[in-house]
Coordinates of all heavy atoms in Angstrom, one line a residue:
A473 N -19.2 -12.2 33.9 CA -19.5 -12.0 32.5 C -20.2 -13.2 31.9 O -20.0 -14.3 32.4 CB -18.2 -11.8 31.7
P474 N -21.0 -13.1 30.9 CA -21.6 -14.2 30.2 C -20.6 -15.2 29.7 O -19.4 -14.9 29.5 CB -22.4 -13.6 29.1 CG -22.5 -12.2 29.4 CD -21.3 -11.8 30.2
E475 N -21.0 -16.5 29.6 CA -20.1 -17.5 29.1 C -19.5 -17.2 27.7 O -20.3 -16.8 26.8 CB -20.9 -18.9 29.0 CG -20.0 -20.1 28.6 CD -19.1 -20.5 29.7 OE1 -19.4 -20.2 30.9 OE2 -18.1 -21.1 29.4
G476 N -18.2 -17.2 27.6 CA -17.6 -17.0 26.3 C -17.3 -15.5 26.1 O -16.7 -15.2 25.1
A477 N -17.7 -14.6 27.0 CA -17.5 -13.2 26.8 C -16.0 -12.9 27.0 O -15.3 -13.6 27.7 CB -18.3 -12.3 27.8
W478 N -15.5 -11.7 26.5 CA -14.2 -11.3 26.6 C -13.9 -11.0 28.0 O -14.6 -10.3 28.7 CB -13.9 -10.1 25.7 CG -12.6 -9.4 25.9 CD1 -12.3 -8.3 26.6 CD2 -11.3 -9.9 25.3 NE1 -10.9 -8.1 26.5 CE2 -10.3 -9.0 25.7 CE3 -11.0 -10.9 24.5 CZ2 -9.0 -9.1 25.3 CZ3 -9.7 -11.1 24.1 CH2 -8.7 -10.2 24.5
K479 N -12.8 -11.5 28.5 CA -12.3 -11.2 29.9 C -11.2 -10.2 29.9 O -10.2 -10.4 29.2 CB -11.8 -12.5 30.6 CG -12.9 -13.5 30.9 CD -12.3 -14.7 31.6 CE -13.5 -15.7 32.0 NZ -14.3 -16.1 30.9
V480 N -11.4 -9.1 30.6 CA -10.5 -7.9 30.5 C -9.2 -8.3 31.2 O -9.2 -8.6 32.4 CB -11.1 -6.7 31.2 CG1 -10.1 -5.5 31.2 CG2 -12.4 -6.3 30.5
P481 N -8.1 -8.3 30.5 CA -6.8 -8.6 31.1 C -6.2 -7.4 31.7 O -6.4 -6.2 31.3 CB -5.9 -9.1 29.9 CG -6.5 -8.4 28.8 CD -7.9 -8.1 29.0
V482 N -5.3 -7.6 32.7 CA -4.5 -6.5 33.3 C -3.1 -6.8 33.0 O -2.5 -7.8 33.5 CB -4.7 -6.4 34.8 CG1 -3.9 -5.3 35.4 CG2 -6.2 -6.2 35.2
L483 N -2.4 -6.0 32.2 CA -1.1 -6.2 31.8 C -0.2 -5.1 32.3 O -0.6 -4.0 32.6 CB -1.0 -6.2 30.2 CG -2.0 -7.2 29.5 CD1 -1.8 -7.0 28.0 CD2 -1.7 -8.6 30.0
G484 N 1.1 -5.4 32.3 CA 2.1 -4.4 32.7 C 3.1 -4.1 31.5 O 3.5 -5.1 30.8
T485 N 3.4 -2.8 31.3 CA 4.4 -2.5 30.2 C 5.4 -1.6 30.8 O 5.2 -0.8 31.8 CB 3.7 -1.9 29.0 OG1 3.1 -0.6 29.4 CG2 2.7 -2.8 28.4
S486 N 6.6 -1.5 30.2 CA 7.6 -0.6 30.6 C 8.6 -0.4 29.4 O 8.7 -1.3 28.5 CB 8.4 -1.2 31.7 OG 9.6 -0.5 32.0
T487 N 9.2 0.8 29.4 CA 10.2 1.1 28.4 C 11.4 0.2 28.6 O 12.2 0.1 27.6 CB 10.5 2.6 28.3 OG1 11.0 2.9 29.7 CG2 9.3 3.4 27.9
Q488 N 11.6 -0.3 29.8 CA 12.8 -1.1 30.1 C 12.7 -2.4 29.3 O 11.8 -3.3 29.5 CB 12.9 -1.5 31.6 CG 13.0 -0.2 32.4 CD 14.4 0.4 32.2 OE1 15.4 -0.3 32.0 NE2 14.4 1.7 32.4
D489 N 13.5 -2.6 28.2 CA 13.5 -3.8 27.3 C 12.1 -4.0 26.8 O 11.8 -5.2 26.4 CB 14.0 -5.0 28.1 CG 15.4 -4.8 28.7 OD1 16.2 -4.2 27.9 OD2 15.6 -5.3 29.8
K490 N 11.3 -2.9 26.6 CA 9.9 -3.1 26.0 C 9.1 -4.2 26.7 O 8.4 -4.9 26.1 CB 10.0 -3.4 24.5 CG 10.8 -2.2 23.8 CD 10.9 -2.5 22.3 CE 11.6 -1.4 21.6 NZ 11.8 -1.6 20.2
L491 N 9.2 -4.2 28.0 CA 8.6 -5.2 28.8 C 7.1 -5.2 28.6 O 6.4 -4.2 28.7 CB 8.9 -4.9 30.3 CG 8.2 -5.8 31.4 CD1 8.8 -7.2 31.2 CD2 8.4 -5.3 32.8
G492 N 6.5 -6.4 28.3 CA 5.1 -6.6 28.2 C 4.5 -6.1 26.9 O 3.3 -6.3 26.7
V493 N 5.2 -5.5 26.0 CA 4.7 -4.9 24.8 C 4.2 -6.0 23.8 O 3.1 -6.0 23.2 CB 5.6 -3.9 24.1 CG1 5.1 -3.4 22.8 CG2 5.9 -2.8 25.1
P494 N 5.1 -7.0 23.5 CA 4.6 -8.1 22.6 C 3.3 -8.8 23.1 O 2.4 -9.1 22.3 CB 5.8 -9.1 22.6 CG 7.0 -8.3 22.9 CD 6.5 -7.3 23.9
E495 N 3.2 -9.0 24.5 CA 2.0 -9.6 25.0 C 0.8 -8.7 24.8 O -0.3 -9.1 24.5 CB 2.2 -9.9 26.5 CG 0.9 -10.6 27.1 CD 1.1 -10.8 28.6 OE1 2.1 -10.5 29.2 OE2 0.1 -11.3 29.2
L496 N 1.0 -7.4 25.0 CA -0.1 -6.4 24.8 C -0.6 -6.5 23.3 O -1.8 -6.5 23.0 CB 0.4 -5.0 25.1 CG -0.6 -3.9 24.8 CD1 -2.0 -4.1 25.5 CD2 0.0 -2.5 25.2
A497 N 0.4 -6.5 22.4 CA 0.0 -6.5 20.9 C -0.7 -7.8 20.6 O -1.7 -7.8 19.9 CB 1.3 -6.4 20.1
D498 N -0.4 -8.9 21.3 CA -1.1 -10.2 21.1 C -2.5 -10.1 21.6 O -3.5 -10.6 21.0 CB -0.4 -11.3 21.8 CG 1.0 -11.7 21.2 OD1 1.1 -11.4 20.0 OD2 1.8 -12.4 21.9
R499 N -2.7 -9.4 22.8 CA -4.0 -9.3 23.4 C -4.9 -8.4 22.5 O -6.1 -8.6 22.4 CB -3.9 -8.8 24.8 CG -3.3 -9.7 25.8 CD -4.1 -11.0 25.9 NE -3.6 -11.9 27.0 CZ -4.0 -12.0 28.2 NH1 -5.1 -11.2 28.6 NH2 -3.4 -12.8 29.1
I500 N -4.3 -7.3 21.9 CA -5.1 -6.5 21.1 C -5.6 -7.2 19.8 O -6.7 -7.1 19.4 CB -4.2 -5.3 20.6 CG1 -3.9 -4.4 21.8 CG2 -4.9 -4.5 19.5 CD1 -2.9 -3.3 21.6
A501 N -4.7 -8.0 19.3 CA -5.1 -8.9 18.1 C -6.2 -9.9 18.5 O -7.1 -10.1 17.7 CB -3.9 -9.6 17.5
A502 N -6.0 -10.4 19.7 CA -7.1 -11.4 20.1 C -8.4 -10.7 20.3 O -9.5 -11.3 20.0 CB -6.6 -12.1 21.5
H503 N -8.4 -9.5 20.8 CA -9.7 -8.8 21.0 C -10.3 -8.5 19.7 O -11.5 -8.5 19.5 CB -9.5 -7.5 21.8 CG -10.8 -6.8 22.2 ND1 -11.3 -5.8 21.4 CD2 -11.7 -7.1 23.1 CE1 -12.4 -5.4 21.9 NE2 -12.7 -6.2 22.9
A504 N -9.5 -8.1 18.7 CA -10.0 -7.9 17.3 C -10.7 -9.1 16.8 O -11.8 -9.0 16.2 CB -8.9 -7.4 16.4
Q505 N -10.1 -10.3 17.1 CA -10.7 -11.5 16.6 C -12.1 -11.8 17.3 O -13.0 -12.2 16.7 CB -9.8 -12.7 16.9 CG -8.6 -12.8 15.9 CD -9.1 -13.2 14.5 OE1 -9.0 -12.4 13.6 NE2 -9.5 -14.4 14.4
A506 N -12.1 -11.4 18.6 CA -13.3 -11.7 19.4 C -14.4 -10.7 19.2 O -15.6 -11.1 19.2 CB -12.9 -11.8 20.9
A507 N -14.1 -9.5 19.1 CA -15.1 -8.4 19.0 C -15.3 -7.8 17.6 O -16.4 -7.2 17.4 CB -14.7 -7.3 20.0
G508 N -14.4 -8.1 16.7 CA -14.6 -7.6 15.3 C -14.1 -6.1 15.2 O -13.6 -5.5 16.1
R509 N -14.4 -5.6 14.0 CA -13.9 -4.2 13.7 C -15.1 -3.4 13.2 O -16.2 -4.0 12.8 CB -12.9 -4.3 12.6 CG -11.7 -5.2 13.0 CD -10.7 -5.3 11.8 NE -9.6 -6.2 12.2 CZ -8.5 -6.5 11.4 NH1 -8.5 -5.9 10.3 NH2 -7.6 -7.3 11.8
G510 N -14.9 -2.1 13.1 CA -16.0 -1.2 12.5 C -17.1 -0.9 13.5 O -18.2 -0.6 13.1
R511 N -16.8 -0.9 14.8 CA -17.8 -0.6 15.8 C -18.5 0.8 15.5 O -19.7 0.9 15.6 CB -17.2 -0.5 17.2 CG -18.1 -0.1 18.3 CD -17.3 0.3 19.5 NE -16.4 -0.7 20.0 CZ -16.8 -1.6 20.9 NH1 -18.0 -1.6 21.5 NH2 -15.9 -2.5 21.3
R512 N -17.7 1.8 15.1 CA -18.2 3.1 14.9 C -19.2 3.2 13.7 O -20.0 4.1 13.6 CB -17.1 4.1 14.6 CG -16.4 4.0 13.3 CD -15.1 4.7 13.2 NE -14.6 4.7 11.8 CZ -14.0 3.6 11.2 NH1 -13.9 2.5 11.9 NH2 -13.6 3.7 10.0
L513 N -19.0 2.2 12.7 CA -19.8 2.2 11.5 C -21.2 1.6 11.7 O -22.1 1.9 11.0 CB -19.1 1.4 10.4 CG -17.7 1.9 10.1 CD1 -17.1 1.0 9.1 CD2 -17.8 3.3 9.5
T514 N -21.3 0.8 12.8 CA -22.6 0.1 13.0 C -23.4 0.8 14.1 O -24.6 0.6 14.3 CB -22.4 -1.3 13.4 OG1 -21.6 -1.4 14.6 CG2 -21.8 -2.1 12.3
A515 N -22.7 1.7 14.9 CA -23.4 2.4 16.0 C -24.3 3.5 15.4 O -24.0 4.2 14.5 CB -22.4 3.0 16.9
V516 N -25.5 3.6 16.0 CA -26.4 4.7 15.6 C -26.0 6.0 16.2 O -25.6 6.0 17.4 CB -27.9 4.3 16.1 CG1 -28.8 5.5 15.8 CG2 -28.4 3.0 15.5
D517 N -25.9 7.0 15.4 CA -25.5 8.3 15.9 C -26.7 9.1 16.5 O -27.4 9.7 15.7 CB -24.8 9.1 14.8 CG -24.2 10.4 15.3 OD1 -24.4 10.8 16.5 OD2 -23.5 11.1 14.5
P518 N -26.9 9.1 17.8 CA -28.1 9.7 18.4 C -28.0 11.3 18.2 O -29.0 11.9 18.2 CB -28.0 9.3 19.9 CG -26.6 9.0 20.1 CD -26.1 8.5 18.8
V519 N -26.8 11.8 18.2 CA -26.6 13.3 18.1 C -27.2 13.7 16.7 O -27.9 14.7 16.7 CB -25.2 13.7 18.2 CG1 -25.0 15.2 18.0 CG2 -24.7 13.3 19.6
A520 N -26.8 13.1 15.6 CA -27.3 13.5 14.3 C -28.8 13.4 14.3 O -29.4 14.3 13.7 CB -26.6 12.6 13.3
G521 N -29.4 12.4 14.8 CA -30.8 12.2 14.9 C -31.5 13.4 15.6 O -32.5 13.9 15.2
H522 N -30.8 13.7 16.8 CA -31.4 14.8 17.6 C -31.4 16.1 16.8 O -32.3 16.9 16.8 CB -30.6 14.9 18.9 CG -31.0 16.0 19.8 ND1 -32.2 16.1 20.4 CD2 -30.3 17.2 20.1 CE1 -32.3 17.2 21.1 NE2 -31.2 17.9 20.9

Side-chain angles (χ1 to χ4, degrees):
E475 185 70 26
W478 174 259
K479 292 182 173 57
V480 178
V482 179
L483 308 176
T485 62
S486 171
T487 56
Q488 297 292 328
D489 299 322
K490 301 180 181 179
L491 177 67
V493 178
E495 183 183 0
L496 174 58
D498 290 341
R499 292 298 184 99
I500 292 172
H503 185 263
Q505 285 289 109
R509 305 176 183 182
R511 178 196 301 267
R512 73 193 188 285
L513 302 175
T514 58
V516 176
D517 186 353
V519 175
H522 176 65

